[in-house]
Amino acid sequence: YERTCHYFCRKTNSVVVCVGYRLAPEHPFPAQFEDCLTAAIHFLRTAQDHGVDPSRIVICGDSSGGTLTAAVAQALVNRRDLPKLRAQILIYPFLQCVDLNLPSYQQNERVPILLKERTLVLGLKYVNKDLCLEELFKGCHVSEDRRLKYQKWVSPDYIPHEFKTRGYKPSPTYPPSKHICEVAESTFDPVFSPLLAEDSVIAQLPETFILTCEFDVLRDDGLLYKKRLEDHGIKVTWCHLQEGFHGTV
């Protein structure tokens, strides 16, 4: 990522800070989030030492870094002791673990580099949980209560029709498993699934740039977050790469 960061730095005439956060599974969740939040808070407090205007700080990440970016932005919304973030940049982020059968998951399940199964394997390593992939793909980890709560935020109904034309069929609903619901509890934490944050948090987020790729299982996470932000009046700039795939950057 050093070359990418150098590129951003040169092209935007910005100071770029790259956070070397601790990695899972050696350092279990949420150590990564805590490292990123600590770094963001420190930089917000000391920006002027680096010749940076504290009112113009943008946070950015791709893939799981997009998850961390979204989670850090949410954690900062109620901090009255810090400057407000100017914006957040989310590049094909992972944002939810409720519905793993959204159209993009179905259409791109075998598209390298982020195969559908690999997405979940990596996610489970991150939260250090041992769960049956098949049960998660069926949605057996989502209790009835959670299903009712989250359906207003996570649903294929909110994916525009043009994204469903490349092969999509609605998934059957399977009953939840009490044991799996209990083990999977941490996957609904907004730090892991930022799309599940409460409306009161979403409504305070900064201006946002979201990049999605057509050939990416995570495409619809980005589309659903875009909708939630816009529903709350947050300005969103959206870039969709029609020929893009996960890892394009």
Side-chain angles (χ1 to χ4, degrees):
Y1 279 78
E2 189 174 355
R3 285 181 66 187
T4 308
C5 290
H6 276 209
Y7 178 82
F8 284 147
C9 189
R10 283 199 315 274
K11 290 289 183 181
T12 63
N13 192 27
S14 302
V15 171
V16 173
V17 179
C18 186
V19 182
Y21 56 84
R22 290 168 292 169
L23 301 179
E26 294 81 3
H27 299 280
F29 168 86
Q32 299 70 25
F33 162 74
E34 288 165 355
D35 287 354
C36 291
L37 181 60
T38 300
I41 290 170
H42 176 72
F43 193 76
L44 283 161
R45 283 185 175 143
T46 61
Q48 286 170 320
D49 298 346
H50 303 278
V52 172
D53 178 347
S55 69
R56 297 182 66 188
I57 294 173
V58 177
I59 58 173
C60 171
D62 77 312
S63 194
S64 57
T67 317
L68 291 165
T69 300
V72 167
Q74 291 178 4
L76 291 172
V77 296
N78 289 315
R79 293 291 295 256
R80 300 288 171 254
D81 57 324
L82 296 167
K84 290 284 184 199
L85 289 174
R86 172 64 185 83
Q88 61 175 341
I89 296 174
L90 310 177
I91 300 171
Y92 38 74
F94 170 93
L95 296 170
Q96 60 85 32
C97 197
V98 173
D99 189 342
L100 302 162
N101 283 300
L102 291 168
S104 61
Y105 268 102
Q106 290 188 23
Q107 294 160 345
N108 303 310
E109 64 178 329
R110 293 188 181 86
V111 177
I113 57 172
L114 195 62
L115 311 180
K116 176 175 174 175
E117 195 168 291
R118 189 174 188 214
T119 308
L120 209 49
V121 168
L122 293 173
L124 291 174
K125 276 196 194 308
Y126 178 39
V127 285
N128 201 21
K129 298 293 180 189
D130 187 16
L131 287 161
C132 169
L133 297 186
E134 196 56 43
E135 300 292 300
L136 291 175
F137 288 139
K138 286 180 175 178
C140 300
H141 63 303
V142 189
S143 67
E144 291 296 349
D145 287 352
R146 288 192 186 279
R147 201 166 279 174
L148 281 171
K149 178 178 180 178
Y150 297 146
Q151 68 185 10
K152 62 182 183 287
W153 301 331
V154 184
S155 167
D157 296 344
Y158 302 135
I159 304 300
H161 176 71
E162 63 264 29
F163 292 102
K164 296 177 181 173
T165 55
R166 197 163 50 84
Y168 163 70
K169 59 176 190 294
S171 304
T173 303
Y174 294 92
S177 154
K178 188 167 185 290
H179 166 68
I180 293 171
C181 289
E182 286 169 0
V183 178
E185 182 77 22
S186 56
T187 65
F188 303 111
D189 184 331
V191 169
F192 184 81
S193 293
L195 186 56
L196 307 182
E198 296 297 331
D199 287 338
S200 57
V201 172
I202 299 289
Q204 299 181 73
L205 287 169
E207 185 176 343
T208 302
F209 175 94
I210 297 176
L211 182 129
T212 54
C213 293
E214 179 60 30
F215 299 100
D216 180 7
V217 289
L218 302 182
R219 179 195 72 201
D220 294 350
D221 283 24
L223 295 178
L224 291 173
Y225 205 48
K226 172 180 178 286
K227 180 183 186 304
R228 275 205 80 191
L229 290 165
E230 289 176 337
D231 285 351
H232 286 277
I234 308 299
K235 185 180 176 190
V236 179
T237 302
W238 172 51
C239 172
H240 182 66
L241 302 182
Q242 198 57 50
E243 302 296 322
F245 54 90
H246 197 85
T248 291
V249 165

